[in-house]
Amino acid sequence: MKKILVPVDFSETSILAIKIAIKIANSLNSNVQLLHIKTSNKYMPDFAKDNIESVLAANANQNLTKIMEEHKDSYLVENGVFDVKIREGNVVREIRNQAHYNDSDLIVVGTHGMSGFEDRWLGSNAYRLISNAPCPVLAVRQNMQFDKAGKLLLPIQVEKVSRRIVPQVVSFAKMLNLDIVVCGITPKKRWKVPGRVNSYVSQVEKYIKKHSDLKAEYYMKDGLENPIELMELAHSKEVGIVALAVKKGINPFESIFNPFTNELLNISDLPIFAVPEKQ
């Protein structure tokens, strides 16, 4: 992982995303780029609330540079690049374009801070970013403890998309030396084929053993159907990160039909490692 992109809207959550991105970069010798998207919306950086001159100036470049200066001493990559970039336009499109042009390997974003970009519902914005991203996205929220992320939960469901992200998840876990908790989730539907998810979990187990030396645990969970139950499962297994497969698409209304992902992004008190996959 050589390049990490961090969208910044000057909220506290986006500052948290910067700190987490730097921690990852220091471990993996990665470059870090801070990105701000100018929109028609007015913004007030949290650090400028008591500084009238900064508010009146509303200079995104100065504010972004100020943030970089405040965090550059914690960036410890020898010969690494820690810089800033400003684009203008639609937030999701410009983040996607910058990640693509910059060959970013990971986007670290503060999901609560996404509402500061545009006046839209938080879940919808976060989902749109993830589902359109050209690389995996680590979504974080305020007060999350990334330092204690020793285990990663990988839910395996009937849908193929949950298995397609296994290579990316294993690679991410290897880089950060995370144990993997693989949980096969079976639906409550009557027409389910007995043993299908079990066989998928077995396939994942073979892949992990073949491609890594990671410690892994394997479980089955019957009838898990909502994000609250998934978070309860994550906490019961004492994991620090939840992996999530997100269908990739350009339909702006797609998030309406993916309430599970939207709700999970809204309620999760753990970082979400989201991997966009084509439908």
Side-chain angles (χ1 to χ4, degrees), residues 19-34:
K19 295 177 180 178
I20 290 177
I22 290 175
K23 289 179 181 179
I24 296 174
N26 288 340
S27 298
L28 306 178
N29 294 319
S30 305
N31 296 332
V32 176
Q33 183 173 74
L34 309 184

Side-chain angles (χ1 to χ4, degrees), residues 13-266:
T13 313
S14 65
I15 301 302
L16 172 66
I18 295 173
K19 295 177 180 178
I20 290 177
I22 290 175
K23 289 179 181 179
I24 296 174
N26 288 340
S27 298
L28 306 178
N29 294 319
S30 305
N31 296 332
V32 176
Q33 183 173 74
L34 309 184
L35 171 68
H36 177 71
I37 310 299
K38 286 185 177 180
T39 70
S40 58
N41 290 7
K42 300 295 183 181
Y43 62 88
M44 183 184 297
D46 287 334
F47 62 76
K49 289 179 179 179
D50 298 323
N51 189 330
I52 300 301
E53 292 182 0
S54 295
V55 175
L56 294 176
N59 188 309
N61 185 59
Q62 290 180 4
N63 292 330
L64 201 57
T65 300
K66 176 180 174 64
I67 289 176
M68 186 182 71
E69 290 295 319
E70 291 176 347
H71 291 85
K72 68 177 183 180
D73 288 342
S74 61
Y75 179 67
L76 306 176
V77 179
E78 186 175 356
N79 298 321
V81 177
F82 183 36
D83 62 0
V84 300
K85 176 71 177 181
I86 294 180
R87 299 178 68 101
E88 186 170 356
N90 175 272
V91 172
V92 173
R93 182 180 63 246
E94 295 305 322
I95 294 175
R96 178 194 64 202
N97 289 344
Q98 185 60 25
H100 175 74
Y101 296 146
N102 198 41
D103 292 326
S104 298
D105 300 297
L106 177 70
I107 298 173
V108 181
V109 63
T111 53
H112 181 74
M114 289 296 290
S115 61
F117 280 128
E118 298 176 320
D119 295 327
R120 297 181 180 176
W121 181 47
L122 165 62
S124 176
N125 231 346
Y127 179 89
R128 286 170 53 238
L129 169 60
I130 292 171
S131 63
N132 283 275
C135 62
V137 177
L138 184 64
V140 300
R141 295 178 66 185
Q142 194 63 22
N143 299 322
M144 286 182 174
Q145 297 295 321
F146 187 77
D147 289 337
K148 299 180 180 180
K151 294 183 180 179
L152 179 148
L153 176 65
L154 173 58
I156 298 297
Q157 300 169 294
V158 173
E159 292 80 4
K160 292 181 180 179
V161 67
S162 68
R163 285 170 284 140
R164 289 182 183 144
I165 71 168
V166 171
Q168 294 97 322
V169 172
V170 171
S171 177
F172 182 75
K174 286 170 62 177
M175 288 185 291
L176 297 181
N177 194 29
L178 302 172
D179 297 342
I180 299 181
V181 177
V182 179
C183 186
I185 298 174
T186 59
K188 292 180 180 178
K189 299 175 182 178
R190 295 180 180 178
W191 51 261
K192 66 182 180 183
V193 179
R196 174 180 290 182
V197 177
N198 298 64
S199 65
Y200 294 160
V201 171
S202 296
Q203 293 173 10
V204 174
E205 181 178 4
K206 291 178 181 178
Y207 182 92
I208 293 176
K209 289 181 177 179
K210 181 179 179 180
H211 294 87
S212 75
D213 296 322
L214 295 171
K215 294 181 180 178
E217 306 170 40
Y218 303 91
Y219 300 92
M220 294 298 300
K221 179 70 174 179
D222 188 32
L224 191 155
E225 292 190 338
N226 65 70
I228 295 177
E229 293 176 344
L230 180 60
M231 293 309 303
E232 291 174 349
L233 172 65
H235 286 296
S236 70
K237 301 303 180 184
E238 298 182 338
V239 303
I241 300 178
V242 177
L244 176 68
V246 180
K247 293 182 179 179
K248 194 171 184 178
I250 59 174
N251 183 353
F253 300 104
E254 189 174 23
S255 59
I256 297 175
F257 304 104
N258 288 274
F260 186 98
T261 302
N262 275 319
E263 187 176 352
L264 181 61
L265 289 168
N266 277 323

